[in-house]
Amino acid sequence: IVSGVATALTRFIPFILFSGDRQMPPKLKKIADILPSAVIAVLVVYGVSPQIATVSMETLAALTALLLTVFLHLWRGNTLLSMFAGTCAYMLMVNFMCK
């Protein structure tokens, strides 16, 4: 119950603090704009670096899926589409090419 309340509070406090006419401070706005891209970059490095450390078919699958994801995102600008397509491509390549 305590962790549920703590989680809920961390999600609701920004909406309570910045509701109505109150604006976010410029420094906090800058952090809010940069943070999603930084988190995605860290997740990509964390997810792909073990694959690149060894040269195998899984490495090829990971790099191909990564390139597909980047291409789709730059082309269509739809994060959900690019992540879904990259994940599907990786899973299909790993399950059909690497076995």
Side-chain angles (χ1 to χ4, degrees):
I1 291 174
V2 172
S3 66
V5 169
T7 301
L9 281 176
T10 59
R11 305 227 171 143
F12 294 138
I13 285 176
F15 293 104
I16 294 167
L17 289 176
F18 302 115
S19 63
D21 293 335
R22 289 185 256 174
Q23 297 290 322
M24 276 199 299
K27 287 184 181 181
L28 188 60
K29 176 92 170 97
K30 186 175 181 179
I31 290 171
D33 290 341
I34 294 172
L35 195 58
S37 299
V39 169
I40 294 294
V42 168
L43 288 173
V44 166
V45 169
Y46 178 76
V48 175
S49 61
Q51 296 294 333
I52 295 174
T54 60
V55 178
S56 66
M57 288 301 285
E58 289 186 16
T59 305
L60 178 64
L63 292 175
T64 305
L66 178 63
L67 289 173
L68 175 67
T69 303
V70 169
F71 171 75
L72 280 175
H73 187 69
L74 293 175
W75 178 48
R76 303 299 293 177
N78 187 333
T79 304
L80 205 55
L81 170 69
S82 56
M83 287 173 46
F84 181 75
T87 302
C88 287
Y90 176 74
M91 293 309 294
L92 287 170
M93 284 186 280
V94 166
N95 284 311
F96 292 114
M97 289 175 35
C98 299
K99 289 189 177 190

